[in-house]
């Protein structure tokens, strides 16, 4: 850091600039030998003493939108990060920072949405904190959630069925050639909904965030077996998820455009705004890498669940591919890059 | 909630208004049967499956001050909350929300201070998150830390020496008549320093926050034995800590004014501003309740450590006292109330 540069929105956008900030300036300070999955692994969660541990600060704007709000986003996001490593969440913490003058009824709605997911999943918030900041200093509430999880009892079996893997968890470096890539539903809904609300675009269609916890979805997949890795495609969307997998697992991935589930309004919105829905964040989807012997069975079991009824096998890990390639509907192949900045900021 | 009132600074101030917000509006939503120390216990940390779990969002203003900054505050605060229940911290998470345009060098200083404590204590940050928010929407960075800990191996022995207690942890409801109250050093330094910096009072003296982790201090006390409860006197200071203890343990506590360690400049500042230093937050102190048979031995062992060399026995739990009474230097007794709002906001 020679020059005293200023922090930009892209530094927190989940793309390449954020990666550089983290790798060059944060990791060297906090490197540690402790833990099975560490900070430097930059996975969805960390693992230490067989405890899965994760955190996310939520600065979504607006705080209310079709399909959810700050509260449901925060709780389900943390649950999904724990699930993505093969954990079963056991408890959460929640720290609120509120702007002075915020309407009490808004806080109440946020908390009720959060509590609803806790109730549905039986995952309690056991520790919390509340701070209030002068209204000139903060525009909207921020909710930071952390969570702990234990190891899913079927993880060993899954990794064995998946042909033996490098790690004991569904980590980013665990893909092998032949693995099928499964998404649990349509992509880009959350990010495009936030954008539509914030900018007042008024797109035609079921404009609605996909926010949901994926406890039942992950459980269904692990009960079939053969799952090698899972990832929560939030900031940077599918494009970021696949590129992280390719880089960390040192494999190439081919994705088939015609197989990717996308809502019609998301496609139109993307075309209108020049934003690729594959680079836009999701909050109720998982991307799975599954051994080819079990991929179809996993897919069928996902399709039986409402919230993953549009699951699809969208590609595979291929020996002769480098990075991430998208095979287009007309038959060509193009590189699917991770976003540099963030096409849609403050979506989570 | 009949009327749509607005959130005020006092709702996050650690006093009675915050207590009302939490008890009336947050707890009923998140009540759960899971966990040994739960959200509704409102202790320094929670306990579930013998894992100690805690979180705190930090909105201190200014972010740099004599003796520390946002980074050291955040990390040591979380470590101390885990220690306060009888845990040994094993890992932390950290979620940063940064304002766009923040100088990179400032971020670096904050992270370096945080990392220094991690290194010194061998407690790693294993998971993190970074968000950037438009500069009009946030004035200063917010750092939210969560942490997990395991049970201190000497806890059973301590509670046994302390005459057997209601819980297996150093929880707020664990005081018995006869217990001596020990503070590990001078009170009010942190809050008064923040106030001095923010308002530019320029007090004369060693104006400096007491921010520090108390890993060695708690370990020393537990090695002597007889510790029944411990509490981190942050927001609301000693007054809040003692009143929480009295209420949750259903005991009365008498405190002896002449025994309370206070720096001279803190006393002067308090007199000048009309703020009782006992209601002001600390960030490197612990308040202990110790069985009378071991209190002096614990005190001596604390005095051997630099950062607790000014430790003192400042009072005791008494059968014939209700609530918290302060015996003044001239011999009278007055009620020591918890602060209603917060005499010094945004100190942590």
């Amino acid at each position: 850091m020679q020059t005293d540069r200023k922090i930009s929105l892209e530094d927190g956008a989940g793309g390449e600039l954020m990666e550089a900030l983290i790798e060059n300036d944060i990791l060297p300070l906090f490197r540690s030998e402790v833990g099975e999955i560490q900070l430097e692994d930059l996975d969805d969660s960390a693992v230490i003493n067989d405890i899965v541990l994760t955190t996310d600060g939520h600065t979504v704007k607006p705080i209310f939108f079709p399909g959810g709000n700050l509260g449901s986003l925060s709780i389900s996001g943390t649950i999904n990060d724990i699930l993505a490593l093969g954990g079963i969440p056991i408890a959460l913490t929640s720290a609120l920072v509120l702007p002075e003058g915020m309407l009490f009824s808004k806080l109440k709605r946020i908390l009720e949405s959060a509590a609803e997911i806790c109730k549905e999943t039986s995952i309690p918030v056991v520790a919390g904190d509340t701070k209030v900041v002068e209204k000139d200093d903060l525009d909207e509430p921020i909710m930071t959630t952390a969570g702990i999880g234990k190891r899913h009892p079927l993880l060993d079996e899954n990794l064995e069925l998946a042909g033996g893997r490098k790690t004991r968890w569904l980590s980013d470096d665990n893909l092998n050639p032949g693995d099928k890539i499964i998404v649990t539903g349509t992509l880009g809904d959350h990010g495009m909904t936030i954008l539509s609300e914030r900018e007042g675009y008024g797109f035609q269609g079921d404009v609605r965030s996909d926010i949901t916890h994926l406890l039942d979805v992950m459980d269904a997949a692990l009960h079939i077996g053969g799952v090698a890795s899972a990832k929560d495609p939030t900031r940077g969307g599918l494009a970021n998820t696949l590129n992280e997998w390719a880089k960390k697992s040192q494999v190439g991935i081919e994705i088939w455009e015609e197989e990717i589930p996308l809502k019609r309004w998301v496609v139109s919105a993307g075309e209108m705004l020049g934003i690729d829905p594959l680079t836009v964040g999701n909050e109720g989807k998982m991307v799975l890498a599954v051994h080819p012997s079990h991929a179809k069975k996993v897919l069928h079991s996902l399709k039986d669940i409402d919230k993953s009824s549009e699951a699809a096998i969208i590609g595979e890990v291929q020996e002769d591919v480098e990075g991430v390639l998208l095979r287009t509907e007309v038959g060509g192949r193009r590189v699917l890059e991770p976003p540099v900045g963030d096409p849609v900021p403050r979506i989570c």
Side-chain angles (χ1 to χ4, degrees), chain A:
Chain A
M1 198 187 43
Q2 292 299 318
T3 57
D4 206 353
R5 77 170 180 88
K6 290 181 175 176
I7 297 288
S8 71
L9 290 176
E10 285 72 24
D11 285 310
E16 282 186 354
L17 271 168
M18 189 171 95
E19 202 179 302
L21 168 72
I22 293 171
E23 293 201 347
N24 301 333
D25 298 293
I26 297 183
L27 290 187
L29 285 171
F30 290 95
R31 213 170 288 280
S32 152
E33 297 305 311
V34 185
E36 196 172 343
I37 309 255
Q38 307 175 351
L39 188 65
E40 67 186 60
D41 294 315
L42 296 175
D43 216 311
D44 298 87
S45 293
V47 179
I48 185 163
N49 297 9
D50 259 18
I51 302 166
V52 185
L53 182 59
T54 193
T55 192
D56 263 320
H58 295 91
T59 59
V60 66
K61 187 177 182 179
I63 54 172
F64 296 101
F65 44 83
N69 61 47
L70 178 64
S72 55
L73 174 72
S74 204
I75 298 294
S76 60
T78 298
I79 290 175
N80 293 344
D81 275 341
I82 293 171
L83 294 171
L85 219 61
I88 297 180
I90 51 181
L92 307 175
T93 69
S94 171
L96 284 165
V97 181
L98 309 174
E100 179 192 10
M102 177 187 180
L103 283 178
F104 209 77
S105 55
K106 285 191 178 181
L107 173 61
K108 194 96 176 171
R109 276 173 65 198
I110 289 168
L111 293 174
E112 280 168 354
S113 299
E116 204 175 295
I117 300 177
C118 293
K119 209 165 219 177
E120 199 185 311
T121 57
S122 299
I123 303 167
V125 171
V126 293
D129 182 43
T130 309
K131 297 276 159 68
V132 181
V133 161
E134 296 84 343
K135 62 183 135 206
D136 290 344
D137 293 348
L138 179 68
D139 74 324
E140 291 284 15
I142 293 171
M143 186 167 175
T144 300
T145 313
I148 56 171
K150 60 185 176 187
R151 191 172 167 80
H152 195 291
L154 291 173
L155 223 46
D156 289 329
E157 204 178 302
N158 266 268
L159 294 171
E160 216 170 285
L161 279 173
R165 300 285 162 156
K166 278 171 275 186
T167 85
R168 294 175 61 236
W169 300 87
L170 306 183
S171 51
D172 291 345
D173 56 355
N174 229 11
L175 279 74
N176 280 344
D179 287 349
K180 300 291 182 187
I181 308 299
I182 298 179
V183 293
T184 64
T186 57
L187 297 175
D189 305 22
H190 176 73
M192 288 298 192
T193 298
I194 297 295
L195 195 62
S196 171
E197 280 296 295
R198 193 162 57 211
E199 309 296 338
Y201 288 132
F203 297 124
Q204 293 300 307
D206 183 21
V207 179
R208 194 180 164 78
S209 165
D210 60 349
I211 289 182
T212 191
H213 73 84
L214 296 166
L215 197 61
D216 42 356
V217 170
M218 272 306 286
D219 203 53
L222 290 172
H223 268 91
I224 299 298
V227 179
S229 190
K231 204 160 176 60
D232 184 20
T234 54
R235 276 181 290 177
L238 180 74
N240 213 39
T241 291
L242 297 177
N243 276 281
E244 283 196 40
W245 265 353
K247 189 176 161 190
K248 295 190 200 168
S249 291
Q250 296 180 284
V251 297
I253 300 174
E254 189 186 71
I255 296 298
W256 312 315
E257 190 173 31
E258 77 273 16
E259 303 297 337
I260 300 172
L262 291 169
K263 289 207 164 71
R264 192 173 299 178
W265 77 265
V266 171
V267 175
S268 312
E271 281 168 1
M272 198 185 99
L273 301 168
I275 294 175
D276 182 352
L278 304 188
T279 65
V280 167
N282 310 278
E283 291 293 340
K285 300 291 150 51
M286 198 67 84
V287 193
L288 304 170
V290 183
H291 193 270
S293 62
H294 285 69
K296 279 198 177 153
K297 278 179 271 185
V298 167
L299 180 69
H300 289 312
S301 115
L302 293 176
K303 280 177 163 295
D304 283 343
I305 299 171
D306 262 2
K307 64 177 88 164
S308 54
S309 62
E310 294 177 275
I313 297 176
I314 62 163
E316 65 190 4
V317 181
Q318 291 184 353
E319 293 263 19
D320 59 341
V321 166
E322 242 183 81
V324 182
L325 293 182
L326 180 82
R327 196 185 68 200
T328 61
E329 296 196 41
V330 294
R333 295 209 296 190
R334 68 170 176 86
V335 175
L336 183 65
E337 305 261 17
V340 177
D342 193 349
V344 192
R346 288 187 73 174
I347 60 152
C348 63

